[in-house]
Amino acid sequence: MGEIEKDLHEFLDYWFAGLMRGIEALDEPSRRKVLYECGRACAQSYTVQVFREARQNSTDVDSFLQNLAQRFPEAKYERDGSNTIRVTYDQCGCDLVRLGLVKSLTFCECSAANLRENFQQSLGISASVAIESSIFRGGTHCVLIGD
């Protein structure tokens, strides 16, 4: 890593630490609102388009989930009942976590909002996503449940 990258990473470490302290100090509804908007913005930056393409190239929900699995091989997409989709990740999919910039357990709500936005934009329906387990919170996998 070059000197500029090292300095930038150090700055971002401090900056994100301050951001996360601020987010953690918010009341629950405010925290959810901020992380929801972060997750939506993240989804719009890349994954929404991939989810839309997967849906456009699918004949039904099962083929949609198969297409997603091909595009994101690190994740497992499966039906869990008629209107529920279970998504399992072997590793955290958040670039900010992988880069070590975010270390707050509350940040998993951002990932749930990201998946919610992806489902809503690709399926054209209102969706909700709950966190069943999280690697960041001590689980062996990240498991998100969408319905």
Side-chain angles (χ1 to χ4, degrees):
M1 181 180 307
E3 190 63 34
I4 292 175
E5 289 98 358
K6 183 180 177 212
D7 289 346
L8 179 59
H9 197 279
E10 185 175 334
F11 162 74
L12 291 173
D13 275 342
Y14 280 101
W15 192 89
F16 275 101
L19 175 67
M20 294 316 302
R21 281 191 303 274
I23 288 174
E24 288 170 351
L26 296 172
D27 60 81
E28 182 66 23
S30 298
R31 184 173 42 242
R32 282 190 180 274
K33 186 179 287 187
V34 169
L35 292 173
Y36 171 75
E37 290 301 328
C38 291
R40 284 186 67 219
C42 179
Q44 291 296 330
S45 75
Y46 173 67
T47 53
V48 160
Q49 185 58 36
V50 176
F51 271 64
R52 283 183 182 149
E53 288 172 5
R55 182 63 183 126
Q56 290 169 354
N57 296 324
S58 303
T59 56
D60 57 22
V61 173
D62 291 323
S63 62
F64 169 60
L65 298 178
Q66 289 174 345
N67 285 337
L68 287 176
Q70 290 175 346
R71 296 294 299 267
F72 300 107
E74 68 282 356
K76 181 179 178 184
Y77 299 86
E78 59 190 332
R79 277 188 189 252
D80 188 12
S82 61
N83 294 320
T84 304
I85 297 170
R86 174 184 296 270
V87 183
T88 304
Y89 303 97
D90 291 333
Q91 62 183 3
C92 181
C94 177
D95 292 333
L96 297 174
V97 170
R98 286 197 313 262
L99 290 171
L101 297 172
V102 171
K103 300 167 183 78
S104 171
L105 303 180
T106 62
F107 212 70
C108 295
E109 294 299 328
C110 180
S111 295
N114 177 289
L115 186 61
R116 175 182 172 192
E117 182 73 5
N118 289 325
F119 282 144
Q120 289 182 160
Q121 293 295 320
S122 61
L123 298 173
I125 59 170
S126 179
S128 64
V129 173
I131 301 165
E132 184 174 284
S133 70
S134 162
I135 295 167
F136 209 40
R137 296 177 180 175
T140 58
H141 296 85
C142 292
V143 180
L144 302 173
I145 307 295
D147 54 23

